[in-house]
Every structure is written in C-alpha cells, then in structure tokens.
Amino acid sequence: MHLRRRSLLLAAAATPVAAAVPAQAAAHRGPLVIGHRGAAGWRPEHTASAYTYGVQTGADWIEPDLVPTKDHVLVVRHENEISQTTDVAAHPEFAGRRTTKTVDGRSVTGWFTEDFTLAELKSLRAVERLPLVRNRNTVFDGRDEILTFQEVVDLARGLSKAYGRTVAVFPETKHPTYFRGIGLELEPRLASAIRRNRLTARECVVQSFEPSSLRRMTGLGVPLWQALGTTGGPYDQPSLTYRDMMTPAGLAEIASYADWIGPDKSSLIGTSVLADAHAAGLRVGPYTFRAENQFLPAEFRRGSGANDFGDAFGEYALYYGLGVDAVVTDFPDLAVIARRS
C-alpha cells in the first residue's frame, strides 16, 4: 500500500474526530460523498450524532431511510424492525409488541415501527447495529433518540448554515409496497414534507429500490435515484430483475423516470454498466463503501482480522478512477480524504 494512504487511513481510524474538515474544504471537483445513514462507521446509524459527524467530516449528502409510525409519521430507521438498532428489548412496557410479520416475502420477528406511536418511539434510544464489527461505536449506545424525517431536514439545514455549504438529504422509501398494503403509504407523506420545506434539487434526492415508489414522486422538482440490488429484483415488479434493469434497455427505461442509479459497487467491476448508464444520461453512485476487511474486495484487505481496516483508500481510488458520480459510504471522512488525494 502507498505509505501516505496507509498513514492517513490509520490516523482517521484511530482518531475520527481529528478527521473533521473546515467548511472551505467542501469545494471540490470529483464524486459526491454520501454519508450512508450518516457516518455509520463511526456512530450508531441514523442518529443526529452520525449525521452531524458525517457533515463535519465533509459529506455532501446524508441518507435517512424512511419508515412510518403507527400514527403515520415518517421516522428514520434502516428497517421497520428495530430490535437491532434500538433498546426496545430493554423496555418491559413494550414486551407484548414483539411479533412476527411477513415483510416483502420474508418472515421477520421483532418490534416494528408501525406498531408504535411517535411518542412511544421517542422513549427509545439508538444502539449500534453491528456491535461485533464496530465495538467502538457501542460507547454511544443510548445517547440518541429516534429522529423524524422533519428533524433530519432541520438538522441538514442547520449544518448547511454552520458549514457554509448545502447539505442535501437523500431519503429512501423502505418497503413501500408493504407499507402501502397496510395503509401507511410513504410517498404522500414524503412529498408533503418536500413541498412544506420547499426542498430544491440541491437539497433533496429521493431513492428507492422500487420503481413504482419513485414514479409516485415525479413532479416534485427533486432528482430521483433508482437503487439496484445484485440478485433478484424490485419487490413491486416480480417479473423484473436487477440484471434486466442494468442492461442498456433497462437503463434507458430507468432514465425515463429517474436521474441516478445506485448499484452495488461490485456491479461496476468488469461490466459496461457505468458506461451504459452514462450513455443513457444517468448518473451513477455505487454503494456501500466500508473500511473493514470483510467488506472490501480481496485485493484491498490488509492483515488477518475481518474487522481490521484494509486499504479503503485504494478502493476509493479505483472507483474514482472509473468515473463514478458519487459514492455511498459508511466512512465519509475517508472518502473525502481520498477525493483530495
């Protein structure tokens, strides 16, 4: 590994607070850096701490995943099942809420946001989702409450003012077909929030894995982002596969309603997907960049520990060199440092 890249990565890993960048460093030429669930590599995901740290270290956008409460308020959690990301199991008053549901064809057991009012969710606190991988983050367990989407918008605008640059929100509609089926549609509430806050194309980009969800969000004046998996296909279109969607014809269809695609980063290696998407007029933001060996391609792993940091800078250099338009990362600080290198 290049000595400078290695020393920068070790320094950032050892002292993440020291990686904060001044506001003037936000001016750049190169791919956008999107803080995946904030800065999930350094703080419990989808918390004010994670979003704030992501912006402090240079993230251009922050990503809130949206699920509804029982009283139909959009809150920010990666999944509607919250046993891994909150302390709900430690609340005896909610023990009776534990149940099993079928979500997008999968049986899931736990506690679900749609069974709680906003007031009840506000009594919970966030915890690290991957404590065995990111034990360092567990020191923050119990410090942050569950945020509403409105609170994330307010936070982004406050951080934009503090750092002298526009920080965009990048909401994802989670399981929209499932929620539509139980009378808790995501899209009307999200559209209302975009209109109410007068969010512009610079301040908001809406993403989903389900094309029908994105099509419901057209006409709002904000870009749309079609997320793409590696296997199977979107839940709302059982006859369509992600492989089909990444063909030239599939990309042309996406371009009829969306502005971006977000493929798994592995989908761009050894394929023409990036070139084909650009030819269709789409911008491309692969996901998810992480620093731990277990999430890196073999050639960028260093040492023997699955959770040790590998050559994350080398991976960023590879994708920046390919010409991606954005990266979605758990470690926005590292992505920003790599962009400046």
Side-chain angles (χ1 to χ4, degrees), residues 13-328:
T15 56
V17 173
V21 296
Q24 61 267 27
H28 67 270
R29 290 183 180 276
L32 293 164
V33 171
I34 302 173
H36 186 231
R37 309 174 199 170
W42 298 124
R43 301 288 189 275
E45 63 189 38
H46 290 313
T47 59
S49 299
Y51 292 129
T52 299
Y53 186 68
V55 174
Q56 287 174 335
T57 55
D60 301 296
W61 303 359
I62 52 177
E63 184 217 25
D65 293 328
L66 304 183
V67 292
T69 66
K70 183 178 182 179
D71 43 351
H72 213 167
V73 178
L74 296 183
V75 293
V76 179
R77 292 286 88 194
H78 174 54
E79 291 290 342
N80 54 324
E81 199 290 297
I82 54 174
S83 62
Q84 291 185 306
T85 61
T86 75
D87 62 357
V88 64
H91 286 253
E93 68 272 27
F94 297 136
R97 306 276 180 96
R98 190 172 188 268
T99 187
T100 299
K101 300 187 180 191
T102 300
V103 181
D104 291 0
R106 294 177 55 250
S107 179
V108 183
T109 299
W111 289 263
F112 297 82
T113 61
E114 64 267 28
D115 295 331
F116 291 76
T117 65
L118 177 61
E120 289 171 332
L121 284 180
K122 284 291 187 179
S123 72
L124 307 180
R125 291 297 178 266
V127 300
E128 170 56 40
R129 185 175 63 89
L130 301 173
L132 299 181
V133 178
R134 294 169 175 168
N135 177 261
R136 61 187 175 270
N137 291 2
T138 62
V139 70
F140 299 103
D141 284 359
R143 297 184 65 87
D144 283 273
E145 67 179 20
I146 309 306
L147 296 174
T148 66
F149 178 57
Q150 182 61 55
E151 288 171 331
V152 176
V153 172
D154 294 341
L155 179 62
R157 285 187 159 165
L159 291 168
S160 296
K161 184 176 181 179
Y163 288 91
R165 57 190 175 88
T166 300
V167 176
V169 291
F170 181 43
E172 178 183 347
T173 59
K174 300 291 293 192
H175 310 299
T177 295
Y178 166 79
F179 286 119
R180 200 173 301 123
I182 61 173
L184 293 172
E185 286 187 276
L186 301 174
E187 296 86 4
R189 297 296 168 126
L190 177 54
S192 177
I194 290 170
R195 293 189 184 101
R196 182 175 65 251
N197 289 282
R198 298 182 180 180
L199 294 174
T200 68
R202 292 185 62 210
E203 295 176 296
C204 182
V205 178
V206 175
Q207 66 167 322
S208 184
F209 280 90
E210 297 190 14
S212 64
S213 183
L214 292 178
R215 290 181 185 277
R216 285 175 165 82
M217 298 301 295
T218 58
L220 290 170
V222 299
L224 304 179
W225 173 302
Q226 176 66 62
L228 300 166
T230 55
T231 60
Y235 185 74
D236 60 331
Q237 296 189 29
S239 63
L240 185 63
T241 69
Y242 291 124
R243 184 183 295 273
D244 292 335
M245 296 175 77
M246 287 187 277
T247 64
L251 293 166
E253 174 61 23
I254 292 172
S256 71
Y257 62 87
D259 308 277
W260 288 81
I261 60 165
D264 183 278
K265 60 185 180 176
S266 64
S267 299
L268 303 185
I269 301 301
T271 74
S272 63
V273 171
L274 180 61
D276 292 341
H278 282 163
L282 293 163
R283 286 170 284 179
V284 180
Y287 69 87
T288 302
F289 289 80
R290 300 178 170 103
E292 296 95 347
N293 277 328
Q294 65 177 292
F295 303 118
L296 289 166
E299 64 268 29
F300 296 115
R301 296 171 189 164
R302 300 293 181 267
S304 58
N307 299 324
D308 292 344
F309 278 25
D311 183 10
F313 290 132
E315 186 182 38
Y316 286 121
L318 169 63
Y319 282 87
Y320 289 171
L322 290 176
V324 299
D325 303 289
V327 291
V328 180

